[in-house]
Amino acid sequence: MRRKLAILGVALLTCGSVALSCSDDNDDPVGRACQVVVGQCHVMSNMGDCIDAVGDIDDSDCVLCIATSSGCDYDINCPRTVMPDGCDFPSEIIPKQRRTSSDAGTPAVSGGSATDASTP
């Protein structure tokens, strides 16, 4: 009986030390932000890539804003909320439907071509 109790005690101590050594995603703003980006919004396919991308964000207020976001419009709301500089998010974490318009570059100037000006 003592042997079983000793084994149980060692097992509990081992499990307890393992639990203390690992951080929970709920304790880490980057992990919580990636729960939104990957888990809730499905913008990226895996947590590892998301952690790399979100970890590169310089402003911790921007990371916290994503982590506390109640929707998938964090890429619009967080830059408005975090003032005065806003948030500069990596393109990988921006939802695809908004990524193309913001990352496509400057549109070409419209208003006619050079041949239109020379035509009488």
Side-chain angles (χ1 to χ4, degrees), residues 9-78:
V10 169
L12 288 175
L13 286 173
T14 303
C15 290
S17 65
V18 168
L20 290 174
S21 68
C22 296
S23 64
D24 185 7
D25 283 343
N26 293 328
D27 296 336
D28 178 26
V30 173
R32 287 185 304 180
C34 285
Q35 287 291 348
V36 172
V37 173
V38 176
Q40 182 180 344
C41 301
H42 309 290
V43 174
M44 297 184 79
S45 61
N46 68 62
M47 290 291 286
D49 290 342
C50 180
I51 288 170
D52 290 342
V54 172
D56 287 341
I57 297 173
D58 292 329
D59 193 336
S60 61
D61 289 337
C62 294
V63 175
L64 287 172
C65 184
I66 297 171
T68 58
S69 176
S70 59
C72 297
D73 54 355
Y74 54 84
D75 63 308
I76 295 170
N77 291 330
C78 291

